[in-house]
Amino acid sequence: MSREDYEIVMGLEVHAELSTKTKIFCSCPTEFGGEPNTHCCPVCMAMPGTLPVLNEKVVEYAIKAGIATNCEIARNSKNDRKNYFYPDLPKAYQISQFDMPLCEKGYVEIETEEGKKKIRLTRIHIEEDAGKLNHDEYGRGSLVDLNRAGVPLIEIVSEPDLRTAKEVESYLRKLKSILEYIEVSDCKMQEGSLRADVNVSVRKKGATEFGTRTEMKNMNSFKSIVRAIEYEADRQIDVLENGGKIDQETLRWDDVSGKTFSMRDKEDAQDYRYFPDPDLLAIKMSDEYIEEIRKNLPELPESRKKRYIEEIGLPEYDANLLTASKYLSNLFEGASAICNNPKAVSNWIMTDITKELNERELEPDQIPFTAEQLGNLVVLIDKGTISSSIAKKVLVELFENPKDPMKIVESKGWIQISDEGAIKEVVLKVLQNNVQSVADYKAGKDKALGFLVGQAMKETKGKANPGMLNKMFLEELNK
Ligand code: ADP
Ligand code: MG
Ligand code: ZN
């Protein structure tokens, strides 16, 4: 048997920090960072005698996420205590939700090589984040920072519907994009505001039962997730091929060694002793309340995509890519509004901007220039101020040192030469220096014209107006 005889099965538990202003059970700020233990109060530090009060915005944001992922929204819900001991959890229990989550039975649609696929969601529930442990730089132990304790989270649990690392990546990107569109989380993976527990098992193709799963905790980069899945699936297949069996355990992925390590196994599996939190009221939601949230949901990617195809006439592929991220889509709409040339803007995003993002390993939310600057770049091309080859250089500048394209063009001396006299001078010079190409052209080799234009572009460092160059070469050659 080989790797090809196995199928990988995966389900994700995704945690997203909600971008409410205040924490879930107190009025401390949720802001990332800050001096340790400055975003805290007796409630989120778990002082005895303090009582939590549920932040209504948290419920609203979770319901928004539920509606946007096609979930059924509960009318009755509650908070439960999940008991476990860890130094970053001062109450020794986390307030979460057990058997009555806010949202259930949704799905997210992804694109795969075999077409669209629905990944089913089991549930979305609300809970509080824990604090953070920092290793003392003097090596005396660990220091507890409770700034993050009580930051609201939603946990989005998927069914084990994912089959390849690529599907997992698409699913996570789609989920991230939806949460960004509806503005419930900033989804900054590098700050840990979106992180996933990846459950992986393998089974022989055609098998009906699932294999035993392992769970890789707190993954927060697409690249590591893909690597980790590939490593872990291979490891499990190896174990099975050698007659062993998989232990259900929690793993930690180490990016440096490219391996998974065991954190704890089933032997010490936690019994969380869930029970309803007696300090909090039951959550009851009316149809009107849920309807109100549904009505005020921002436009979702599917609807934007439809507009791009039907109203602007973009190909489906392009509309898909543009709406894959709210940041790209906003860039597209903002720049189009300025230059009134959506097709050109789409082209820039689909080609050069995508290429720069890949090369620089940037995500769309890290694009350093504004929609206005991109719009103005297209205006400069449309007005003939710069040629498209110069525009490519301006785009690189926008990534490196973003400012208004006209300022870039002026300071670099990149304004297109559209002066007839100046162009004629270059054309004559190039003709004089390339007698062979002139002869080739006259002998019927049309390609020679392209070469001559190229030489003239070189001569002017790409600044000559290409249309005028072409026209003038033809005039001279046909004299
Ligand atoms: P827990 O909270 O203990 O981790 P859950 O029952 O909530 O357990 O399941 C966690 C995740 O594991 C879900 O996303 C589910 O889809 C996934 N999962 C369950 N069984 C398997 C399996 N055999 N292989 C891969 N993933 C699985
Ligand atoms: Mg789990
Ligand atoms: Zn607090």
Side-chain angles (χ1 to χ4, degrees), residues 84-248:
Y84 67 94
F85 179 76
Y86 203 73
D88 64 8
L89 187 75
K91 293 196 294 290
Y93 60 84
Q94 177 194 31
I95 304 179
S96 178
Q97 297 197 281
F98 182 50
D99 53 343
M100 291 170 75
L102 284 176
C103 317
E104 281 183 287
K105 300 195 185 95
Y107 67 87
V108 165
E109 202 165 66
I110 59 166
E111 310 281 336
T112 72
E113 275 153 23
E114 290 88 45
K116 291 188 198 311
K117 178 172 173 181
K118 278 182 184 166
I119 307 303
R120 291 169 300 154
L121 301 189
T122 318
R123 57 191 275 152
I124 301 180
H125 67 252
I126 53 173
E127 60 187 28
E128 57 182 338
D129 210 344
K132 240 180 205 165
L133 293 184
N134 294 320
H135 294 291
D136 176 11
E137 57 186 303
Y138 302 106
R140 288 173 302 202
S142 290
L143 302 169
V144 183
D145 175 9
L146 294 178
N147 282 353
R148 201 178 66 179
V151 167
L153 295 174
I154 46 175
E155 179 173 335
I156 305 164
V157 183
S158 86
E159 293 288 314
D161 284 349
L162 297 152
R163 292 294 176 271
T164 64
K166 218 168 160 190
E167 281 184 13
V168 170
E169 185 176 352
S170 304
Y171 167 71
L172 206 51
R173 283 193 186 278
K174 190 67 181 274
L175 207 52
K176 177 170 184 280
S177 149
I178 292 171
L179 298 178
E180 285 169 350
Y181 271 106
I182 59 173
E183 295 172 343
V184 301
S185 172
D186 66 16
C187 293
K188 286 190 183 153
M189 294 177 86
Q190 63 284 10
E191 292 180 2
S193 38
L194 188 76
R195 45 193 205 259
D197 300 342
V198 183
N199 296 272
V200 180
S201 67
V202 300
R203 62 177 173 182
K204 296 253 170 71
K205 278 185 182 158
T208 46
E209 305 264 303
F210 287 138
T212 305
R213 72 182 151 113
T214 59
E215 175 174 3
M216 296 183 282
K217 282 279 188 196
N218 280 326
M219 309 282 303
N220 65 350
S221 108
F222 291 111
K223 225 176 173 174
S224 328
I225 288 174
V226 171
R227 282 178 71 205
I229 290 171
E230 275 159 7
Y231 172 86
E232 178 57 16
D234 278 349
R235 186 191 69 81
Q236 291 187 13
I237 292 169
D238 263 358
V239 170
L240 296 176
E241 283 294 295
N242 289 313
K245 67 179 217 355
I246 307 299
D247 293 322
Q248 182 173 340

Side-chain angles (χ1 to χ4, degrees), residues 30 107 111 277 440 468:
T30 54
Y107 67 87
E111 310 281 336
D277 193 306
D440 287 350
M468 289 177 72

Side-chain angles (χ1 to χ4, degrees), residues 23 26-28 39-45 149:
K23 291 185 178 180
C26 61
S27 49
C28 292
H39 300 171
C40 315
C41 71
V43 174
C44 54
M45 289 162 81

